[in-house]
Amino acid sequence: MKILVMGAGKMGSFFLDLLSFDHETAVYEKDPRRMRFTYNCQRLTALEEVRAFAPELVINAVTVKFTIPAFEEVLPFLPADCIVSDISSVKTGLKAFYGQCGHPYVSTHPMFGPTFANLQQLSEENAIIISEGDYMGRIFFKDLYQRLGLSIYEYTFEEHDRTVAYSLSIPFVSTFVFAAVMKHQDAPGTTFKRHMKIAKGVLNEDDYLLQEILFNPYTSEQVARIRNELTSLLDIIDRKDASGMKAYLGRIRSNVKADIEAMRG
């Protein structure tokens, strides 16, 4: 298959490396300097070169802020039957865009990224495939993700957004709160250092990505849950309620245990 990857960032380069030995691949990137570490693929910097390449599948791996604008720029240069796809963690506006773009489409979300994941060992990571896309496009990505050892889940666009609101907004907001109240420690403990490492990784993400995840329409209710839990915990602390603390710790340990058992199952 002839596959065009848009964007030569970390995820774009990852997909190029993954696909280039089994498919004819090309990368479209306006900044030639970003393509210096791409191999075994054609390097395209002009839209007419995209037309000449005539891809059968496009994987849009540009920054989330530019996902739809990048599609709009390249669509006139694609064959009519070319499948267009994205790997964006934020799907805002994509369902409506795909509905009027005139191309078959598939939307997926590899639930890992270059900040924390080991891209060479992904057997404990997950991927979401949006069930509303083109059948053959979904099969292509399902086979690809299975070869990586990923656990695959099929959701609608709405189900995806609800899942992201839970799985990303809760840890992100918790990290923001830690970063907001932390002070420099000359002799930090292990837990502090681990939280600091996570905070640095999250805060290295693109501002627009963080904004769009938190502006997800389903995020507010998740953040409200954090607020409620903090209120409950602060009440226990203020009252020095030993039995209340024991019950609280028992409840959250049960939550963690249930999650671990669900992953094993």
Side-chain angles (χ1 to χ4, degrees):
M1 180 182 288
K2 298 180 72 173
I3 300 174
L4 173 69
V5 175
M6 299 176 64
K10 291 181 179 178
M11 288 303 287
S13 297
F14 168 73
F15 273 89
L16 283 168
D17 288 343
L18 189 63
L19 296 167
S20 62
F21 291 97
D22 296 315
H23 302 275
E24 185 179 350
T25 56
V27 56
Y28 173 60
E29 172 62 63
K30 294 181 179 179
D31 183 357
R33 293 171 297 182
R34 301 192 70 192
M35 295 191 289
R36 61 184 181 270
F37 298 119
T38 57
Y39 303 99
N40 202 34
C41 66
Q42 295 185 42
R43 303 177 186 184
L44 314 180
T45 58
L47 290 168
E48 285 299 333
E49 293 177 307
V50 172
R51 190 196 303 276
F53 180 67
E56 300 166 81
L57 170 68
V58 170
I59 300 176
N60 190 335
V62 305
T63 305
V64 64
K65 182 178 182 179
F66 300 108
T67 299
I68 291 178
F71 271 140
E72 291 174 336
E73 181 182 42
V74 79
L75 282 181
F77 299 87
L78 300 179
D81 58 351
C82 177
I83 300 172
V84 294
S85 72
D86 74 276
I87 56 169
S88 177
S89 56
V90 176
K91 304 297 185 186
T92 305
L94 279 169
K95 181 176 182 178
F97 169 79
Y98 283 134
Q100 54 80 44
C101 76
H103 284 265
Y105 73 88
V106 57
S107 184
T108 76
H109 180 186
M111 297 286 283
F112 57 87
T115 300
F116 294 115
N118 177 0
L119 297 182
Q120 306 305 316
Q121 179 58 46
L122 297 171
S123 59
E124 295 183 1
E125 304 292 347
N126 303 313
I128 293 173
I129 297 176
I130 302 299
S131 58
E132 298 163 75
D134 176 78
Y135 175 76
M136 293 307 297
R138 298 201 314 272
I139 292 298
F140 174 86
F141 278 97
K142 185 175 182 179
D143 289 345
L144 180 65
Y145 292 154
Q146 283 178 334
R147 285 196 284 119
L148 293 173
L150 298 171
S151 296
I152 301 169
Y153 302 88
E154 290 202 29
Y155 295 152
T156 64
F157 278 107
E158 181 179 357
E159 289 168 338
H160 169 271
D161 289 349
R162 287 186 178 277
T163 298
V164 168
Y166 174 78
S167 65
L168 292 183
S169 65
I170 287 182
F172 279 17
V173 169
S174 301
T175 299
F176 291 169
V177 172
F178 166 78
V181 303
M182 59 154 288
K183 295 181 179 179
H184 172 72
Q185 300 291 312
D186 290 326
T190 300
T191 302
F192 185 94
K193 288 191 289 186
R194 288 179 178 175
H195 276 280
M196 177 59 77
K197 182 178 180 181
I198 292 173
K200 288 179 179 178
V202 169
L203 294 173
N204 277 333
E205 295 284 4
D206 178 74
D207 286 359
Y208 185 85
L209 171 63
L210 297 175
Q211 170 187 298
E212 289 302 294
I213 288 171
L214 295 182
F215 288 176
N216 180 321
Y218 303 106
T219 291
S220 182
E221 63 186 271
Q222 301 298 338
V223 177
R225 292 175 59 200
I226 296 177
R227 179 184 60 201
N228 294 339
E229 286 297 325
L230 287 173
T231 300
S232 175
L233 181 58
L234 184 60
D235 179 64
I236 293 171
I237 293 170
D238 286 344
R239 292 187 292 107
K240 295 181 171 55
D241 181 358
S243 61
M245 180 60 76
K246 183 176 178 64
Y248 184 85
L249 293 173
R251 177 168 66 85
I252 62 177
R253 284 185 176 122
S254 294
N255 280 355
V256 172
K257 181 180 179 181
D259 186 67
I260 293 173
E261 290 176 348
M263 288 190 294
R264 288 174 177 171

